[in-house]
Amino acid sequence: MYRTNTCGELRQADAGKTVTLAGWVQRTRRMGGMTFVDLRDRYGLTQLVFNNDTDAELCERANRLGREYVIRATGIVAERSNKNAHLPTGEIEITVTALDVLNVAATPPFTIEDDTDGGDDLRMKYRYLDLRRNAVRSNLELRHRMTIEVRRYLDGKGFMEVETPVLISSTPEGARDFVVPSRMNPGQFYALPQSPQTFKQLLMVSGFDRYFQIVKCFRDEDLRADRQPEFTQIDCEMSFVEQDDVLTLFEGMAKHLFKSIRDIEITEPFPRITWAEAMKLYGSDKPDIRFGMQFVELDSILKGHGFALFDEAAYIGGICAAGAAGYTRKQMDELTEYVKRPQIGAKGLVYARVEADGTVKSTVDKFYSQDILQKMKAAFDASPGDLILILSGPDVMKTRKQLSELRLEMGTRLGLRDKNRFACLWVIDFPLLEWSEEDGRFYAMHHPFTSPKPEHIPLLETSPGSVSANAYDMVINGVEVGGGSIRIHDSALQSRMFQLLGFTAEEAQSRFGFLTNAFTYGAPPHGGIAYGLDRWVSLFAGLDSIRDCIAFPKNTSGRDVMIDAPSEIDKSQLEELRLIIKKSE
Ligand code: ASP
């Protein structure tokens, strides 16, 4: 028998029992005539003790144990004289009577402890060792519990988990595809799914009514902290539903996860704001509403007073940072530098402080009377001690985005973005289409299967850019955790949509004919949503990067440095696939 107990379960009440434990040697310490060994497994850490006076030979063997040796130890549970309150097993130790080395271990490249000395790259290369550490493993445990609870909730609501294929053809989620050459069909390629979108819609045509799948999706995009080339979705679809039905059911799922995973009871309904409102008040379609600091538009107050920058702007907007009037010159310079960074791109920052006596002192005092500045103060409902920050620009959306970045930065600086507080909302009524100046054409804002609001269908002919969609996102703490829509289920409307997106009838038929044909055989009204599991887990775990909740993630160049992928393939494989690699110029 390898073990009677795990390394995480013995307590004072077990004192006197003879037990056998198995695990990894985290470290050994010699003190006086005693040797202490911290034995680790997935469940915890237990102290083993060897006494040189009672069994010198056994103690000597313990002294020779190296880090990460795999051992089995039998002994008696004893109460510890110097208890360790930080350790669940800290009240006891095992007085060892028998020791077996089950396997030796090479010296690990970094210490496998909570505070490790290993840098990021090294830990990625030896990810299987990093996964022995509590911090990393506990994220995966959280992930496991979340998927169990998702399955429990959806099963309870009649959803059926169905697997859809991975070798398919291109799915239009707006990213580049990963492709796989087909040996049996030379010159032809599969694409990996960017999502199972079309399959879940086909399952609705099949009458499955409620589908879900916890599924890998693949998008060949530039990577960021919240993006991996392969990521996991909680993908869902329902028949005979309207937007409200979907939002209610999935708000229920979110509340179930908050309660079961974080023990947070949310009784209030999630606020719902339209995309247009979100852009106006926060400059973002995923606003962080843990804090207010909503935008105030200042065009009517600040235009026409001879300040050219504002007079020529298409948008002037500001935020009010409560209690920040005391910011030093240096802090203000930092903020100005922040908004001028190329990633943000503002030209400059105008600011105004509300003094203790209520007067407003701004960087543009020479253009504005105190009277006007007081009007501005009133528009923000600002109080003494507040700092007003103003951006302007020639493009409304761009300036709003810049102000949104500044708002988030101020939220962080003022400590308003506590990771243990959660603020959820729905953003609804997204535009159906997005115009690309560069390409001179419309793109689907969500995807081409999203239904316009029924009352907006006539606008498709006259003013497609102003059509709103039955599309929605769930946002938590400024992170888009999920998004979906009510779908088009009418083949004629779907064809019109493809046409608006610039597909000829032939192209639409060849790419999506399977779906539009299916719709001619009785498609029920349907809609759905997909959540980014990695993002949701990292929110619940308080992580900065989704990498930390993925067992074997890729680095920012899309590489798995542990198994060294992607890599070149054999010449014979290339020949079999009839592929020739073009040498880079
Ligand atoms: N397939 C969509 C996505 O991946 C989600 C949905 O519309 O259900 O974003």
Side-chain angles (χ1 to χ4, degrees), residues 173 194-197 200 217 219 233 235-237 446-447 450 480 483-485 487 528-530:
E173 298 282 358
Q194 294 186 30
S195 83
Q197 184 61 36
K200 66 175 174 175
C217 300
R219 297 185 190 177
Q233 281 192 347
D235 190 45
C236 312
E237 197 74 6
H446 188 48
H447 52 53
T450 297
E480 178 205 324
S485 60
R487 325 298 182 189
I529 192 165

Side-chain angles (χ1 to χ4, degrees), residues 358-379:
T359 52
V360 178
K361 279 240 169 334
S362 82
T363 46
V364 287
D365 274 359
K366 88 173 170 208
F367 299 101
Y368 296 101
S369 64
Q370 189 56 220
D371 211 30
I372 304 280
L373 294 176
Q374 285 299 320
K375 269 197 197 141
M376 177 174 85
K377 179 178 117 183

